[in-house]
Amino acid sequence: MRATLERAALLKALAHVHRVVERRNTIPILANVLIRAGDGGLRLQATDLDLEVVESVAAEIGQAGATTVPAHTFYDIVRKLPDGSQVSLEMGGERGTLVIRAGRSRFTLQTLPDTDFPDLAAGELPVRFAIGAADFKRLIDKTQFAISNEETRYYLNGIYLHAVDSSGVALLRAVATDGHRLARVEMPAPSGAVGMPGVIVPRKTVAEIQRLVEDPEGEVQVELSPTKIRVSIGQVVLTSKLIDGTFPDYGRVIPSGNDKRLTVDRLEFKSAVDRVSTISSERGRAVKLSLADRKLVLTVTNPDSGNATEEIEVDYDNDPLDIGFNSRYLLDIADQLEGDTALIRLADPGSPTLVQDRDDAPALYVLMPMRV
């Protein structure tokens, strides 16, 4: 195998591919990236057996062939090479080595046979649709913060992507929850997505898709089966297993009778919560919201370090109410809202609270209160 290509092109492709590779591997081949030189370019491939990323990059091929080298070492070498350099890759004369040359630098890496490299066979993917990159990224960005880290409830360790019919309108909806908060974002369903199976996309796959969607003007091709998802973005193809589980009926936790409406300036509210939570304990993080006529008082009490209060003007003309929330969760939701104001609908101190930009906004957040 012999190939020559621009450092910048190789680095960009390796940056996409090498992140899939875990730092610690019990199976040596999984620490490697597969390099295949063929018609008109190089094909780089990495996998952890649950997730696979493949990227094609233009290169001058002197001789076709394939091998595998340690992914993180290869990436670090290319990253440290001078800008604008041409990188030459060649199988060494000695068996089992790859020689990397750029300018006056020369590296020799140990290889493992490409025939040992596992292929994540996707099988048949019957559902196919195209979606704008900005729309797809938005579905993920606005929900991923609520993904659960609790391994025992593995079916919450991802984003539930599914199509729904709402009053005769087909919608593509993304939902994530950790039991304390829930994020739901929807958009008109692309043609091809209608009737798709509800799938749970794992947390690591979600994080990789977020990083791969670099051009908001582009288009993303999505292919699905009940067990696998494939996402194609430009020259990058990501294939992943899906979480094999049943996502809970989240509709039951979205309150419909919350009649106390609080409208607040989003940035002012976020800054106030951030300031008073400075005093909260790492474990408790509770902030109390005391609502009265057109006034909100935020209070944090920490027996070990003191207390903090801040008052802000709000649009609220209902019965006085005291309710507590995890300050970190409040800040996470405030970060996702896009408008100048936040609409918070409350019922009582023990019931779920609804947060949106405005009525009928495509993004909706539910937050469980805390005792304060």
Side-chain angles (χ1 to χ4, degrees), residues 184 186 258 261-263 341-345 354-364:
R184 190 195 81 188
E186 58 193 23
N258 288 14
R261 290 170 63 98
L262 161 65
T263 307
T341 59
L343 171 61
I344 303 172
R345 296 189 207 182
L354 204 59
V355 186
Q356 287 177 284
D357 281 312
R358 60 185 189 281
D359 287 313
D360 303 321
L364 170 151

Side-chain angles (χ1 to χ4, degrees), residues 27 30 51 55 101 106 165 167 196 207 217 225 266 292 315 338-339 359 362:
I27 307 170
L30 293 183
L51 172 63
E55 180 156 0
R101 292 190 183 88
R106 183 180 185 276
D165 188 305
S167 308
M196 66 176 261
E217 302 298 316
S225 75
R266 181 177 71 88
D315 184 358
E338 294 171 339
D359 287 313

Side-chain angles (χ1 to χ4, degrees), residues 311-362:
E311 183 180 312
I312 56 176
E313 280 188 25
V314 296
D315 184 358
Y316 179 80
D317 53 7
N318 219 301
D319 298 335
L321 177 70
D322 287 357
I323 189 168
F325 293 108
N326 181 313
S327 58
R328 179 72 258 154
Y329 295 171
L330 275 178
L331 291 171
D332 282 345
I333 289 173
D335 278 336
Q336 302 307 322
L337 298 175
E338 294 171 339
D340 296 332
T341 59
L343 171 61
I344 303 172
R345 296 189 207 182
L346 308 118
D348 58 65
S351 299
T353 292
L354 204 59
V355 186
Q356 287 177 284
D357 281 312
R358 60 185 189 281
D359 287 313
D360 303 321

Side-chain angles (χ1 to χ4, degrees), residues 91-129:
M91 289 296 285
E94 316 140 46
R95 258 181 78 80
T97 62
L98 177 74
V99 179
I100 304 163
R101 292 190 183 88
R104 297 182 181 183
S105 304
R106 183 180 185 276
F107 300 86
T108 306
L109 288 181
Q110 293 297 319
T111 65
L112 288 171
D114 62 288
T115 49
D116 293 351
F117 198 83
D119 196 24
L120 193 67
E124 186 64 31
L125 299 163
V127 177
R128 291 186 178 145
F129 60 89

Side-chain angles (χ1 to χ4, degrees), residues 299-318:
T299 311
V300 170
T301 305
N302 184 346
D304 300 326
S305 58
N307 56 62
T309 63
E310 183 160 343
E311 183 180 312
I312 56 176
E313 280 188 25
V314 296
D315 184 358
Y316 179 80
D317 53 7
N318 219 301

Side-chain angles (χ1 to χ4, degrees), residues 153-311:
R153 297 160 82 189
Y154 64 93
Y155 48 84
L156 298 182
N157 295 162
I159 290 177
Y160 182 47
L161 200 62
H162 58 300
V164 294
D165 188 305
S166 175
S167 308
V169 179
L171 299 171
L172 180 62
R173 197 177 269 177
V175 181
T177 182
D178 61 5
H180 304 290
R181 56 204 169 151
L182 178 142
R184 190 195 81 188
V185 181
E186 58 193 23
M187 59 168 282
S191 57
V194 181
M196 66 176 261
V199 297
I200 308 171
V201 185
R203 186 194 308 111
K204 183 175 176 180
T205 305
V206 165
E208 284 310 314
I209 293 170
Q210 273 184 302
R211 294 188 188 112
L212 290 173
V213 181
E214 295 165 333
D215 176 15
E217 302 298 316
E219 194 174 67
V220 177
Q221 299 290 331
V222 180
E223 297 168 77
L224 282 171
S225 75
T227 57
K228 298 260 173 56
I229 183 170
R230 176 176 286 156
V231 177
S232 306
I233 306 157
Q235 295 298 311
V236 191
V237 179
L238 174 148
T239 308
S240 170
K241 292 179 181 174
L242 296 164
I243 292 175
D244 181 16
T246 304
F247 201 79
D249 179 8
Y250 63 87
R252 295 200 344 236
V253 302
I254 298 174
S256 55
N258 288 14
D259 56 349
K260 297 179 175 69
R261 290 170 63 98
L262 161 65
T263 307
V264 58
D265 182 283
R266 181 177 71 88
L267 291 176
E268 187 183 5
F269 178 67
K270 182 185 162 191
S271 302
V273 171
D274 196 24
R275 276 191 291 272
V276 297
S277 65
T278 311
I279 210 108
S280 66
S281 68
E282 195 60 37
R283 196 170 51 85
R285 289 184 178 276
V287 56
K288 183 166 95 172
L289 279 61
S290 300
L291 281 157
D293 192 32
R294 308 193 70 79
K295 188 175 75 171
L296 167 63
V297 179
L298 300 158
T299 311
V300 170
T301 305
N302 184 346
D304 300 326
S305 58
N307 56 62
T309 63
E310 183 160 343
E311 183 180 312

